[in-house]
Amino acid sequence: MKKYYTLKAICALMLLITAQKANAQQNVGDLFKSGPADATKLINAYFDPLYKGLGIGLTDGWSNTAKSKGLLKFDARFSVSGAFVPQSARSYDVNTLGLNNIRPAVGSSSIGPTAFGNDEVGGKMQIYTSNGQPTTSFFNLPKGLGFHVVPAVQLQATLGLPKNIDVTLRAMPKIKLGSDLGSLSMIGFGAKVELLPLFMGSTTEKLVPVDIAVAGGFTQYKYNLPLNINNTANSDQRIDAKFNGVNFDAIVSKQILFFTPFASLGYQTSNTDLKALGTYSFDTGNGQSVNYTDPIAVNQRDINGVRASLGFQLKFGFFKFYGSYTQAKYSMVNAGIGLGIGK
């Protein structure tokens, strides 16, 4: 029970950071302007670092050694990663988004902070009619968090099978984090194959001084956030989101007593499927508004490229400690602790 509440607290902290000090509804609501087309573009621009940071975090933390565990050996591990948002991803320019009916107000900046940008209000925007006429409605682009690291959590168990194969299951039951933060769950699976014993048998350690493996994995976060944005229609407003990540890696490691350094090179891809469900009132200017049902749908690939990692594993009896650094679209660090038997 204590472990469950510890995990819940860590996930709540992650979502508190992601939700900008529990003001997620306010920030999302600030972007429901003009109509679904413009709102979708603004939401994508604002949350782009979240999509990419979570995508990288989903594919991290699978393994810190190329050595397989051995038949029926196992371990369980918990790790946390942080993806560093580069300076270029901490703000966006509305003039590049192709908005239809939203423009910077005269004399105002067109720049707004992303969710993981600076803790300051963005440029002042003015809503225009479909005929291109300015209205009397203005709003500011929402603040960023002022925190430039996207966190992610990995919780997994690994079992050794015959033929130097390890299989891994990632799972976290649906955890309700509170009415302001919604709920989060995770599922994933992966496998690793140590290669040299398959081809060289028992002579491997004598002929080759390192261990080599290939690995792959899939992880999915599901997130649900109830909303209450100008909910005059008493609608079931909510955000439903899925974040999926897939990775393939080649790993090289060398055990030196209790210390195992490793290096890996691989491919990762991730995508976001996010929907704003329910009925929402959009400010269209001059005191007018229009209701739209299920107005926002985002389905896009966020990460698609090569990554390289360096890290280590420390083993003291049943206990293991992990750490790694990954260079990809966003650089990232990962640290964790594990318990089990086997390599």
Side-chain angles (χ1 to χ4, degrees):
M1 183 65 69
K2 183 177 180 181
K3 291 182 178 179
Y4 173 81
Y5 284 112
T6 300
L7 177 61
K8 182 173 180 177
I10 292 172
C11 292
L13 176 61
M14 185 184 82
L15 266 297
L16 275 168
I17 293 171
T18 302
Q20 187 173 345
K21 303 173 186 175
N23 284 333
Q25 294 196 32
Q26 177 182 335
N27 283 356
V28 172
D30 287 345
L31 299 174
F32 278 62
K33 305 293 184 180
S34 173
D38 282 351
T40 298
K41 293 173 183 177
L42 287 172
I43 287 172
N44 272 346
Y46 183 73
F47 286 111
D48 185 66
L50 173 64
Y51 301 157
K52 290 182 170 62
L54 275 183
I56 293 173
L58 286 170
T59 63
D60 198 47
W62 283 101
S63 182
N64 290 66
T65 176
K67 189 72 174 178
S68 60
K69 296 196 168 302
L71 182 61
L72 299 184
K73 301 295 180 64
F74 66 92
D75 72 19
R77 63 188 287 176
F78 170 78
S79 60
V80 178
S81 63
F84 299 101
V85 179
Q87 186 68 42
S88 61
R90 297 176 189 176
S91 63
Y92 61 96
D93 187 341
V94 296
N95 288 334
T96 67
L97 301 182
L99 301 177
N100 297 316
N101 301 314
I102 295 176
R103 304 175 194 172
V106 175
S108 297
S109 171
S110 63
I111 304 300
T114 62
F116 287 85
N118 294 332
D119 183 14
E120 57 188 25
V121 174
K124 186 177 182 180
M125 301 292 114
Q126 185 172 13
I127 299 176
Y128 282 68
T129 68
S130 58
N131 296 324
Q133 298 300 311
T135 72
T136 57
S137 294
F138 298 85
F139 69 97
N140 285 95
L141 298 173
K143 294 181 178 180
L145 172 65
F147 184 76
H148 310 311
V149 179
V150 183
V153 175
Q154 300 90 26
L155 181 66
Q156 66 186 51
T158 301
L159 177 68
L161 299 180
K163 302 296 183 180
N164 302 288
I165 298 173
D166 291 347
V167 292
T168 299
L169 174 67
R170 285 182 165 178
M172 182 173 68
K174 185 176 181 179
I175 298 175
K176 188 174 182 179
L177 304 170
S179 58
D180 288 333
L181 294 177
S183 60
L184 178 72
S185 64
M186 178 182 66
I187 191 69
F189 52 87
K192 180 178 70 179
V193 181
E194 187 182 356
L195 295 178
L196 295 182
L198 294 178
F199 303 106
M200 304 175 66
S202 60
T203 64
T204 299
E205 293 185 4
K206 296 180 181 180
L207 299 176
V208 181
V210 296
D211 301 308
I212 302 174
V214 292
F218 165 82
T219 307
Q220 181 184 85
Y221 280 159
K222 288 185 178 180
Y223 179 57
N224 176 272
L225 175 68
L227 298 176
N228 186 17
I229 302 173
N230 299 323
N231 197 0
T232 57
N234 196 28
S235 172
D236 180 20
Q237 296 181 347
R238 66 190 187 278
I239 293 288
D240 279 347
K242 295 179 182 178
F243 304 95
N244 299 320
V246 175
N247 63 283
F248 300 96
D249 296 280
I251 309 169
V252 178
S253 69
K254 172 64 178 179
Q255 183 175 351
I256 307 170
L257 299 177
F258 57 85
F259 176 64
T260 303
F262 83 93
S264 68
L265 181 66
Y267 165 80
Q268 61 183 4
T269 183
S270 70
N271 69 278
T272 297
D273 183 1
L274 180 148
K275 297 180 177 66
L277 303 178
T279 300
Y280 302 81
S281 177
F282 282 75
D283 181 0
T284 56
N286 296 328
Q288 303 298 311
S289 64
V290 176
N291 287 343
Y292 292 93
T293 300
D294 301 343
I296 307 297
V298 176
N299 192 330
Q300 65 184 29
R301 177 170 292 183
D302 305 302
I303 300 292
N304 186 38
V306 176
R307 68 176 184 177
S309 299
L310 293 172
F312 65 88
Q313 170 183 284
L314 295 174
K315 184 171 183 275
F316 301 101
F318 295 110
F319 295 95
K320 300 175 183 179
F321 301 90
Y322 313 97
S324 66
Y325 170 81
T326 298
Q327 183 62 51
K329 192 174 185 68
Y330 289 5
S331 60
M332 179 174 55
V333 293
N334 180 279
I337 185 171
L339 176 68
I341 57 175
K343 301 295 184 179

